[in-house]
Amino acid sequence: MTDQFNNQNGYTPQSGQPYQQPNFQHSYQQPVVNPQQPHPAKPSTGRTFGTAFAGAALACVIAFGGFTVYQNVTETPSGSNVTLGASANTEIQAQSTDDTLPEAVAQKCLPSVAAIDVYTQQTSTDMLGRSTSSSGTLTESSLGSGVVLSEDGYIVTNNHVVAGADALKVTVGGEEYDADVVGTDESSDIAVVKLQGASGLTPIEIGDSDNLTIGEWVMSIGSPFGLEQSVATGIVSATSRSQIMSNAESSGSDGYGYGYGNSSSQSGGYTIYPNMIQTDAAINPGNSGGALVDSNGKLIGINTLITSYSGNYSGVGFAIPVNYAVNIAQQIIEGKTPTHAQLGVSLSTVNSQNAKRYGLKVDSGAYIAAVSAGSGAADAGLEEGDIITKFDGNAVDSASDLMLDVRSKNPGDTVMLEVNRNGETKQLQVTLGSDESSQAAPTTQNSSKNGSSSGSNELLNRLFNNGSSSQGNAA
């Protein structure tokens, strides 16, 4: 099934660069469990659209990349005193879920959900696929959704919606605005954009994602397939669904990047999705960055991923919890560098094969290949060669498990680790640090407690990582 793209917009931005729609056919593709696939075109309002929403496979990868923050200088400075969310809360009264509740929630929330159209410059490539020149023409290359956080136009969305954008057009409340990227947090897949000249918008009411009940009613709102202001209802299917996704898996360079505006601007790092909300409310291409709201019309999540064999909605979608998303958005708006909890170690996964080969005392867990000097791990007495088997009482079966556990916490939180050290079990209390100083650092942390890793540990770590010369996965 294909869509024909036509250029009917004719919009000319203030910079003088003409917007031009792509004129080609593109097959519907969608991120699936394995592999991911891109999103299709937006067939509404007489304009054509590229694909949006690059979803993620549910299989966790076992590496952890550097953290990247993008701060774009615009005429609108980041606000340090911006109030996010509606200033007053209202309760929705409905006779029954089947009758009036969806209507009431939609009426309340639709003015607070935006459609985001992403434009990128057309470039020429040589026979090897390398970029050689730019025509200066802006082509609409992808689309997504966003949620209004303030009356003056701060919008939260997914990083993968706006990554690589050269220009943004945002439609909210029936009005279209030019918009600027305020900042992005690639490792959390959260971004904030600011509408130019906006005022009097309707901020969404912000709920609490820490107190969700499996089975409770929810509504997803966004622009699936470019169909703006669309809603779908369902329930919270599960909570605390976590995964790690390689940015290389969804970059334009390997064919999965349509949700990134066909851009390969993503770094080689990883995006961490801790404690996501699973829902059967329909989430499709174009819903990325949109709202997941509860029965009172309060925002509880930012729609982000789906898993599907068909490439479209299959009843399993995921949203970033609002408490986590708004915390990151607030830091971006205040001009801060978003930070995350960090243990301060470099890790490899222990399994039955390498445990038997190297005589390890346990056959699952997270092997510490290096400890960063001055980190919470170092202060707590963790050592190279330790194998972390439990985190706050929960089993740790791999390096990925531990990284997700750490990301679910905040800097300054205290956690209890169970560690196997040469066959002896130890309980160590660790105060987690912040990754602020190492956001742009490589994936690995090369410094250890003593300033270097032993040769045996380096060899063990390389073999754990299938021959990679990397020091391991940082947490």
Side-chain angles (χ1 to χ4, degrees):
M1 182 176 182
T2 60
D3 279 352
Q4 181 69 41
F5 291 73
N6 302 300
N7 181 12
Q8 300 177 2
N9 192 20
Y11 176 80
T12 302
Q14 294 179 356
S15 64
Q17 293 177 324
Y19 281 106
Q20 178 177 319
Q21 301 296 333
N23 186 18
F24 58 90
Q25 289 190 335
H26 180 70
S27 299
Y28 274 132
Q29 292 180 310
Q30 165 69 16
V32 296
V33 173
N34 187 17
Q36 298 170 270
Q37 298 294 343
H39 285 204
K42 176 179 179 181
S44 64
T45 67
R47 303 185 312 189
T48 58
F49 301 84
T51 51
F53 180 93
L58 288 185
C60 287
V61 294
I62 61 168
F64 178 86
F67 168 90
T68 301
V69 170
Y70 166 71
Q71 195 83 24
N72 186 24
V73 179
T74 70
E75 295 180 358
T76 305
S78 296
S80 59
N81 297 309
V82 177
T83 300
L84 303 186
S87 58
N89 293 325
T90 59
E91 298 294 323
I92 289 178
Q93 302 295 327
Q95 294 179 356
S96 73
T97 298
D98 295 331
D99 184 15
T100 62
L101 180 59
E103 299 172 16
V105 172
Q107 183 179 16
K108 177 179 179 179
C109 297
L110 281 171
S112 302
V113 179
I116 300 175
D117 301 307
V118 178
Y119 293 83
T120 54
Q121 288 190 356
Q122 288 185 320
T123 58
S124 300
T125 58
D126 60 20
M127 294 179 63
L128 298 178
R130 296 173 298 191
S131 177
T132 57
S133 64
S134 174
S135 65
T137 300
L138 293 175
T139 300
E140 191 163 17
S141 55
S142 65
L143 62 96
S145 304
V147 182
V148 178
L149 292 182
S150 68
E151 293 184 1
D152 59 347
Y154 282 103
I155 305 283
V156 63
T157 185
N158 286 136
N159 174 66
H160 76 250
V161 170
V162 300
D166 294 310
L168 298 174
K169 299 292 288 185
V170 178
T171 302
V172 59
E175 299 291 330
E176 190 176 66
Y177 299 86
D178 290 312
D180 301 302
V181 176
V182 178
T184 68
D185 178 4
E186 185 176 317
S187 80
S188 297
D189 201 9
I190 293 295
V192 175
V193 304
K194 179 68 165 60
L195 308 188
Q196 297 179 9
S199 63
L201 300 183
T202 304
I204 201 162
E205 289 183 20
I206 296 175
D208 184 0
S209 54
D210 289 339
N211 294 302
L212 299 179
T213 302
I214 295 175
E216 73 173 88
W217 186 93
V218 292
M219 174 181 283
S220 65
I221 310 176
S223 303
F225 303 107
L227 301 172
E228 300 172 10
Q229 298 281 279
S230 296
V231 304
T233 62
I235 62 170
V236 173
S237 302
T239 57
S240 301
R241 299 297 201 201
S242 302
Q243 69 181 63
I244 303 174
M245 170 184 161
S246 166
N247 291 335
E249 290 181 294
S250 46
S251 71
S253 60
D254 64 2
Y256 301 135
Y258 292 101
Y260 297 85
N262 283 327
S263 168
S264 58
S265 62
Q266 294 273 101
S267 79
Y270 290 82
T271 302
I272 311 273
Y273 296 102
N275 298 325
M276 286 192 297
I277 304 164
Q278 182 182 328
T279 180
D280 67 348
I283 298 175
N284 274 300
N287 273 120
S288 274
L292 187 70
V293 300
D294 63 15
S295 58
N296 277 312
K298 295 184 179 181
L299 183 69
I300 59 170
I302 301 298
N303 296 324
T304 301
L305 307 174
I306 68 171
T307 184
S308 171
Y309 291 111
S310 67
N312 297 321
Y313 168 69
S314 293
V316 182
F318 302 92
I320 298 173
V322 68
N323 293 6
Y324 183 78
V326 169
N327 177 45
I328 297 297
Q330 181 75 65
Q331 294 179 65
I332 292 172
I333 291 170
E334 292 177 354
K336 299 177 181 178
T337 298
T339 58
H340 313 93
Q342 187 176 64
L343 181 59
V345 294
S346 180
L347 303 168
S348 295
T349 293
V350 175
N351 57 38
S352 57
Q353 291 179 325
N354 53 42
K356 181 178 181 180
R357 182 173 184 177
Y358 295 102
L360 303 179
K361 304 301 181 182
V362 293
D363 59 8
S364 65
Y367 177 92
I368 298 180
V371 179
S372 297
S375 66
D379 293 342
L382 285 166
E383 299 177 0
E384 295 173 16
D386 286 348
I387 301 173
I388 299 175
T389 57
K390 288 187 179 181
F391 182 97
D392 272 349
N394 298 317
V396 173
D397 293 326
S398 65
S400 296
D401 282 355
L402 183 59
M403 288 184 284
L404 288 166
D405 287 336
V406 171
R407 180 57 71 91
S408 70
K409 300 293 184 178
N410 295 313
D413 285 352
T414 299
V415 299
M416 182 64 68
L417 301 181
E418 183 174 289
V419 175
N420 186 285
R421 181 178 295 168
N422 298 321
E424 180 182 354
T425 299
K426 293 181 174 291
Q427 303 288 332
L428 297 177
Q429 185 170 284
V430 182
T431 299
L432 300 176
S434 166
D435 64 358
E436 182 175 5
S437 63
S438 60
Q439 292 167 11
T443 299
T444 60
Q445 299 181 35
N446 294 319
S447 62
S448 68
K449 190 174 181 180
N450 299 316
S452 63
S453 297
S454 67
S456 59
N457 278 333
E458 289 178 2
L459 175 60
L460 181 62
N461 196 55
R462 286 198 297 272
L463 292 169
F464 276 7
N465 286 281
N466 298 319
S468 168
S469 61
S470 168
Q471 281 279 342
N473 312 304

